[in-house]
Amino acid sequence: MEWSLTVDKALPRPVRVILRGVGQVFFCGNAVTGLIFLIALFIGGLVAGLAATIGVVTSTITAYLLGFSEDDIDAGLYGFNGTLVGPCLFLFLEYSPQLWLYVILAAILSSVVLAALIRILTPYRIPASTSPFVLTCWMFMVAVYSFDKFTPGPVLPTPEIPSIVAGMGGLSIEAWFTVWTDDTVKMWYTALTKGIAEVMFADNILVGILFLIGIAITSWRGAFMALCGTVVGVVVPVVLGANQNLIEMGLYAFNPVLTMMAIGWVFLKPTKKSAILALLAGILTVVCQAGLANFLAPIGLPTLTFPFVLVMWMFLFAAGMSKYWSEPKI
Amino acid sequence: MEWSLTVDKALPRPVRVILRGVGQVFFCGNAVTGLIFLIALFIGGLVAGLAATIGVVTSTITAYLLGFSEDDIDAGLYGFNGTLVGPCLFLFLEYSPQLWLYVILAAILSSVVLAALIRILTPYRIPASTSPFVLTCWMFMVAVYSFDKFTPGPVLPTPEIPSIVAGMGGLSIEAWFTVWTDDTVKMWYTALTKGIAEVMFADNILVGILFLIGIAITSWRGAFMALCGTVVGVVVPVVLGANQNLIEMGLYAFNPVLTMMAIGWVFLKPTKKSAILALLAGILTVVCQAGLANFLAPIGLPTLTFPFVLVMWMFLFAAGMSKYWSEPKI
Amino acid sequence: MEWSLTVDKALPRPVRVILRGVGQVFFCGNAVTGLIFLIALFIGGLVAGLAATIGVVTSTITAYLLGFSEDDIDAGLYGFNGTLVGPCLFLFLEYSPQLWLYVILAAILSSVVLAALIRILTPYRIPASTSPFVLTCWMFMVAVYSFDKFTPGPVLPTPEIPSIVAGMGGLSIEAWFTVWTDDTVKMWYTALTKGIAEVMFADNILVGILFLIGIAITSWRGAFMALCGTVVGVVVPVVLGANQNLIEMGLYAFNPVLTMMAIGWVFLKPTKKSAILALLAGILTVVCQAGLANFLAPIGLPTLTFPFVLVMWMFLFAAGMSKYWSEPKI
């Protein structure tokens, strides 16, 4: 929306850059959107909000000190990976005072990795997106098994050999699709909103709604794609018979949300064809998420947003070979 | 052979493209060869044949709809990964009606991945080969542990920590090389032909012979390299003391078959030097196969043709640095 | 030092190339340095010295026969991966006569992989460094679980699911930093020197000192960075509470040694800024080492020098995006 861009430009540069960094988590280089996201994060939890703030500030300053492109820094591109690193490590590792230092170190590394990937991917006009955050956090999380000073938290998956686990549990597919009681309505409502909130690790309905509002301020199409993504991330795993709890917590949805926003709004010309392509990519992201989760099971790491990154990379690389999309927007 | 090219060109375009797609599994862009392969697949098993047909049609149509290069589509390049996806998923997952939909989804993805890899690898003049099939099938196979609607079949390796397993079992190296009884002759005959058949998951002597005939129709050198590859894939694991059953089923041979065809016939100038290089690559493929199999053991995935892909990539990238091969054929 | 270059140039070409190949393990294309390294290796153990010799000769001859760049061969670039392959396989696999053949095969492959990576990385002016050695040895080590003719040695990590292991054991952080007894002095002295020696798998104080002298002959700054690297590789894991035995054996230090030499001396302009960047990279290498070790635990492989390679790649790629280092030395 027009007014948000005016506000964005009126802000003092450091504030604008930091807030845009938060906004870029959902591809929104807009300080107003970033502010709404940040408020939502604090509503989700004080520690998560603080960790995100420290992350985004650290990674942005790192980029500045290491002399990376000022344009990229101004767009908030060196902020969003740091934003994610903070809440991620505080969610998956047990709280301790030295964890703040660990987060700072990881946020620094995320900026180095981003610069490296920008250099590799730019000739193809492919974005690094959240891959630096994922790679950095995986390394810092799996490393703690070797360090006395840090301990894996209860949410970090226990390393184990993958095996067939009962998926749907109590509810059947029919229960999701045909029985409309107060319970199922609440179930849908919860899964769909949390699917957006979990992009920043918030298990919270209100946070999801605020994220969606923030996106809509930057772009209606973006918000629409996010909504489609969370629908795909609930419907497809239900149809395939995935674990009920994971679906309800939105843990199958946050990746398709990002995939559909990237393919259907940000990086390709926003046409009807792109919307269909985004839908296909969203569906495949669900399969990729299940596959990657089992792939990582023996070392006990969560997928984070890597299913989105992988599917997006494949589709954007492929789009460059197509007569319909060979001129990507970025 | 000349006549086969004439037949190839006389066919209606859709039929030609589909059959070439099947032929490209062994690098043969020739519809007659493709037809022989397809007949062989149906002889190997009705489901495998149908699955391959659906796979090749789906992946080719996908490429067309997504607007990828018509020249590549016409050459059958968007067909062979789909051809392999079908029988692969039906072999390793338990049969169910919804598996057909899963195969279609995987075949679609294989074309997207192929386009992406073509974009990355073409500047180096390196082929993507069967890597899209491998990556797609790995993802779709390991994902089923999370989905109630699909079940791993009995042939899919159970996820487990690798350990030292007795290799040769009953037979010693001497038994393969010096005692010529009816039994050992049959053993050699079986291992060598199945080594070619297993490229398309057929545990069947006749299928292997038909594949070899199909290749010979396109190129004598190709057929010779395939034969050398299967010999390497039996002799080398026997000498190293690998598992007897795997060797007899041709499961150490199908990768060297492809490696030797790629290096010794398709992608480098076909000289004596290239033949020697192909032999070296074939031997290393056996080690790579054993290594990758153990590497994948904790998540319970088969190597598929990835040992071939890895070794071929290394040798073709390296060939570009050499004064002898710096002008590869492709 | 000047005199060493004179000696280097006076040597007959084959000797010079081979010795430079050994020297390049620590980035020193200097035959005198290489000779000191080789003598040190033989002091460390006869088999290790012989294996390194066979490795460097094999990989250099391979490069020559395959027609790779004569300039690169002359600089010893096709030697150092072979140098490392030999002692590595003899350390981690059980001794048997056929192991010599296995080493030769691996050394051949290491040269092919190096040529492939040079082709991929050179446009970015990024070195392949020891990655061919690591990739080749991983493959050859994990493959032996399938082969009767080779057995994993007692030093190769047993494949297992990672779990939280007690780190520091008996000693506390205070014991390393504040109590100055003969024991702690010896502990520091041992850890620091072995940290350099372990780059070539030598668990030996004298070897570490000789390596340092060899480096100093080529460059004072190089030796200083190596020393800083080993200090980082002891202090950081102590502070993080890593396993006491691993620290004392220098097993957390050999990677930061290489990282700090690469970033602080070899590949970037040798300024104060580069030294600070090298320190940051060295610290992150310790985290990366712990992470990669746990990542590889389920298949039972050691990290070798891959933490160094990964961190160096990230920092050098990133340096190309920076206004301070966008003109790297190589």
Side-chain angles (χ1 to χ4, degrees):
Chain A
M1 297 175 201
E2 205 58 47
W3 63 268
S4 69
L5 295 175
T6 318
V7 175
D8 176 275
K9 267 162 206 154
L11 289 169
R13 198 184 151 207
V15 176
R16 186 176 62 229
V17 169
I18 295 301
L19 289 178
R20 280 182 180 175
V22 181
Q24 286 283 9
V25 171
F26 283 103
F27 315 102
C28 301
N30 182 317
V32 177
T33 298
L35 181 63
I36 293 174
F37 290 173
L38 198 58
I39 291 168
L41 274 170
F42 274 100
I43 290 173
L46 186 65
V47 170
L50 274 177
T53 310
I54 285 185
V56 66
V57 172
T58 307
S59 64
T60 305
I61 291 179
T62 302
Y64 183 78
L65 290 179
L66 293 182
F68 299 145
S69 151
E70 301 257 333
D71 285 354
D72 287 353
I73 296 174
D74 275 357
L77 289 182
Y78 281 98
F80 67 98
N81 280 288
T83 306
L84 290 165
V85 161
C88 175
L89 292 182
F90 272 97
L91 174 66
F92 289 110
L93 302 183
E94 207 157 86
Y95 182 84
S96 67
Q98 63 265 31
L99 197 50
W100 292 102
L101 283 172
Y102 210 56
V103 163
I104 288 172
L105 206 57
I108 291 173
L109 181 61
S110 78
S111 276
V112 174
V113 175
L114 178 56
L117 290 176
I118 287 178
R119 182 143 166 244
I120 298 169
L121 294 170
T122 297
Y124 301 100
R125 299 156 114 211
I126 299 285
S129 200
T130 56
S131 58
F133 142 67
V134 175
L135 298 175
T136 302
C137 279
W138 276 350
M139 196 180 98
F140 273 73
M141 287 194 288
V142 77
V144 299
Y145 287 102
S146 297
F147 299 143
D148 273 4
K149 295 286 158 190
F150 301 99
T151 320
V155 194
L156 194 71
T158 310
E160 62 182 351
I161 294 298
S163 61
I164 304 159
V165 286
M168 295 293 288
L171 275 176
S172 66
I173 295 183
E174 285 72 33
W176 280 84
F177 287 126
T178 57
V179 191
W180 289 103
T181 65
D182 279 7
D183 272 6
T184 50
V185 169
K186 202 185 140 207
M187 205 164 72
W188 274 96
Y189 180 76
T190 311
L192 291 176
T193 49
K194 286 189 177 175
I196 300 175
E198 287 286 357
V199 168
M200 295 206 227
F201 310 101
D203 181 25
N204 188 310
I205 293 171
L206 179 59
V207 173
I209 295 169
L210 285 173
F211 283 173
L212 196 61
I213 292 171
I215 300 165
I217 286 174
T218 296
S219 156
W220 287 109
R221 189 172 169 111
F224 176 69
M225 283 296 154
L227 211 55
C228 290
T230 194
V231 172
V232 166
V234 175
V235 170
V236 175
V238 166
V239 169
L240 292 172
N243 182 283
Q244 174 84 3
N245 285 333
L246 298 180
I247 299 173
E248 271 194 76
M249 278 182 69
L251 292 175
Y252 269 107
F254 67 94
N255 273 297
V257 164
L258 292 171
T259 307
M260 288 199 66
M261 289 177 75
I263 305 290
W265 166 49
V266 190
F267 298 114
L268 298 180
K269 266 177 293 172
T271 61
K272 247 186 224 171
K273 267 208 160 75
S274 302
I276 295 169
L277 197 69
L279 184 65
L280 179 64
I283 293 168
L284 287 167
T285 304
V286 173
V287 179
C288 185
Q289 165 132 7
L292 190 61
N294 295 322
F295 188 88
L296 292 172
I299 45 167
L301 284 176
T303 65
L304 303 179
T305 55
F306 216 60
F308 143 65
V309 171
L310 282 179
V311 173
M312 179 194 62
W313 277 348
M314 286 300 122
F315 273 76
L316 290 185
F317 270 112
M321 296 294 291
S322 159
K323 61 183 174 198
Y324 304 125
W325 295 280
S326 53
E327 300 288 340
K329 271 168 63 186
I330 227 179
Chain B
M1 297 175 200
E2 206 60 45
W3 63 268
S4 69
L5 295 176
T6 318
V7 175
D8 176 275
K9 267 162 207 154
L11 289 168
R13 198 183 151 205
V15 176
R16 185 174 65 228
V17 169
I18 295 300
L19 289 179
R20 280 182 181 175
V22 181
Q24 285 284 9
V25 172
F26 283 103
F27 316 102
C28 301
N30 182 317
V32 177
T33 298
L35 181 64
I36 293 174
F37 290 173
L38 198 58
I39 291 168
L41 274 170
F42 273 100
I43 291 173
L46 185 65
V47 169
L50 273 177
T53 309
I54 283 184
V56 65
V57 171
T58 306
S59 64
T60 305
I61 291 178
T62 302
Y64 182 78
L65 290 179
L66 293 181
F68 298 145
S69 151
E70 301 258 334
D71 285 354
D72 287 354
I73 296 174
D74 275 356
L77 288 182
Y78 281 97
F80 67 99
N81 281 288
T83 307
L84 290 164
V85 162
C88 175
L89 292 182
F90 271 97
L91 175 65
F92 288 110
L93 302 184
E94 207 157 85
Y95 182 84
S96 67
Q98 63 266 31
L99 199 48
W100 293 103
L101 282 172
Y102 211 54
V103 163
I104 288 172
L105 206 57
I108 292 173
L109 181 61
S110 78
S111 275
V112 175
V113 175
L114 177 57
L117 290 176
I118 287 178
R119 180 141 168 245
I120 298 168
L121 294 169
T122 297
Y124 302 99
R125 299 157 116 210
I126 300 285
S129 201
T130 56
S131 57
F133 142 67
V134 175
L135 298 175
T136 302
C137 280
W138 276 350
M139 197 180 96
F140 273 73
M141 287 194 287
V142 77
V144 299
Y145 287 102
S146 297
F147 299 143
D148 273 3
K149 295 287 159 189
F150 301 100
T151 320
V155 194
L156 194 71
T158 309
E160 62 181 349
I161 295 297
S163 62
I164 304 161
V165 286
M168 295 292 289
L171 275 175
S172 67
I173 295 183
E174 285 72 31
W176 280 83
F177 288 126
T178 57
V179 190
W180 290 104
T181 64
D182 280 6
D183 272 5
T184 50
V185 168
K186 202 186 139 207
M187 205 163 71
W188 275 96
Y189 180 76
T190 311
L192 292 176
T193 49
K194 286 190 178 174
I196 299 174
E198 286 286 357
V199 168
M200 295 207 227
F201 310 101
D203 182 25
N204 186 310
I205 293 171
L206 178 60
V207 173
I209 294 169
L210 285 173
F211 284 173
L212 196 60
I213 292 170
I215 301 166
I217 285 174
T218 297
S219 157
W220 287 109
R221 188 173 170 112
F224 176 69
M225 282 296 153
L227 210 56
C228 291
T230 194
V231 171
V232 165
V234 175
V235 170
V236 174
V238 166
V239 168
L240 292 171
N243 182 283
Q244 175 83 5
N245 285 334
L246 298 180
I247 300 174
E248 272 193 76
M249 277 182 69
L251 292 175
Y252 269 106
F254 67 94
N255 273 296
V257 164
L258 292 171
T259 306
M260 288 198 67
M261 289 177 76
I263 305 289
W265 166 49
V266 189
F267 298 113
L268 298 180
K269 265 177 293 174
T271 60
K272 246 187 224 171
K273 267 207 160 78
S274 301
I276 295 169
L277 197 70
L279 184 65
L280 179 63
I283 293 168
L284 286 167
T285 303
V286 174
V287 179
C288 185
Q289 164 132 10
L292 190 62
N294 295 322
F295 188 87
L296 293 172
I299 43 166
L301 285 175
T303 65
L304 304 179
T305 55
F306 215 60
F308 143 65
V309 170
L310 281 179
V311 173
M312 179 194 63
W313 277 348
M314 285 300 123
F315 273 76
L316 290 185
F317 270 112
M321 297 294 291
S322 159
K323 60 183 175 198
Y324 303 125
W325 294 281
S326 52
E327 301 289 340
K329 271 168 62 187
I330 223 175
Chain C
M1 296 173 199
E2 205 58 47
W3 63 268
S4 70
L5 295 176
T6 319
V7 175
D8 176 274
K9 267 163 207 152
L11 289 168
R13 199 185 151 203
V15 177
R16 186 175 63 228
V17 168
I18 294 300
L19 289 179
R20 280 182 179 174
V22 181
Q24 286 284 10
V25 171
F26 283 102
F27 316 100
C28 301
N30 181 317
V32 177
T33 298
L35 181 63
I36 294 174
F37 290 173
L38 198 57
I39 292 168
L41 274 170
F42 274 99
I43 291 173
L46 186 64
V47 170
L50 274 177
T53 310
I54 284 184
V56 65
V57 171
T58 306
S59 64
T60 307
I61 291 177
T62 302
Y64 183 78
L65 290 179
L66 293 182
F68 299 145
S69 150
E70 302 256 334
D71 285 354
D72 287 353
I73 296 174
D74 276 357
L77 288 183
Y78 281 97
F80 67 97
N81 280 289
T83 306
L84 289 165
V85 161
C88 175
L89 292 182
F90 272 97
L91 175 64
F92 288 110
L93 302 183
E94 208 157 85
Y95 182 85
S96 67
Q98 64 265 31
L99 197 49
W100 293 102
L101 282 172
Y102 210 56
V103 163
I104 288 172
L105 206 58
I108 291 172
L109 180 61
S110 78
S111 276
V112 174
V113 175
L114 178 56
L117 290 175
I118 287 178
R119 181 141 166 245
I120 298 169
L121 294 169
T122 297
Y124 301 100
R125 298 156 116 209
I126 300 285
S129 202
T130 56
S131 57
F133 142 67
V134 175
L135 298 175
T136 302
C137 280
W138 276 349
M139 195 180 98
F140 272 74
M141 287 194 288
V142 77
V144 299
Y145 287 101
S146 297
F147 299 144
D148 273 4
K149 295 288 158 187
F150 301 100
T151 319
V155 194
L156 194 71
T158 310
E160 63 181 350
I161 295 297
S163 61
I164 303 159
V165 287
M168 295 293 288
L171 275 174
S172 66
I173 295 184
E174 286 71 32
W176 280 84
F177 286 127
T178 58
V179 192
W180 290 104
T181 65
D182 279 8
D183 274 6
T184 49
V185 170
K186 203 186 140 207
M187 205 165 71
W188 274 96
Y189 180 76
T190 311
L192 291 177
T193 49
K194 287 188 176 174
I196 300 174
E198 286 286 357
V199 169
M200 294 206 229
F201 310 100
D203 181 25
N204 187 312
I205 294 170
L206 179 58
V207 173
I209 295 169
L210 285 173
F211 283 174
L212 196 59
I213 293 171
I215 300 165
I217 285 174
T218 297
S219 156
W220 286 109
R221 187 172 172 112
F224 176 68
M225 282 295 153
L227 210 56
C228 291
T230 194
V231 171
V232 165
V234 175
V235 169
V236 174
V238 165
V239 168
L240 292 172
N243 182 283
Q244 175 84 4
N245 285 334
L246 298 179
I247 300 173
E248 272 194 76
M249 277 182 69
L251 292 176
Y252 269 106
F254 67 94
N255 273 297
V257 164
L258 292 171
T259 306
M260 289 198 66
M261 289 177 75
I263 304 289
W265 166 48
V266 190
F267 299 113
L268 299 179
K269 266 176 293 174
T271 60
K272 248 188 222 168
K273 267 210 161 75
S274 302
I276 295 170
L277 197 69
L279 184 65
L280 179 63
I283 293 168
L284 287 167
T285 304
V286 173
V287 179
C288 186
Q289 164 131 10
L292 190 60
N294 295 322
F295 188 88
L296 293 172
I299 45 167
L301 285 175
T303 65
L304 303 179
T305 55
F306 215 61
F308 143 65
V309 170
L310 282 179
V311 173
M312 178 194 64
W313 277 349
M314 285 300 123
F315 273 76
L316 290 185
F317 270 112
M321 297 293 291
S322 159
K323 61 183 174 198
Y324 303 127
W325 296 281
S326 51
E327 301 288 340
K329 273 168 61 188
I330 224 177

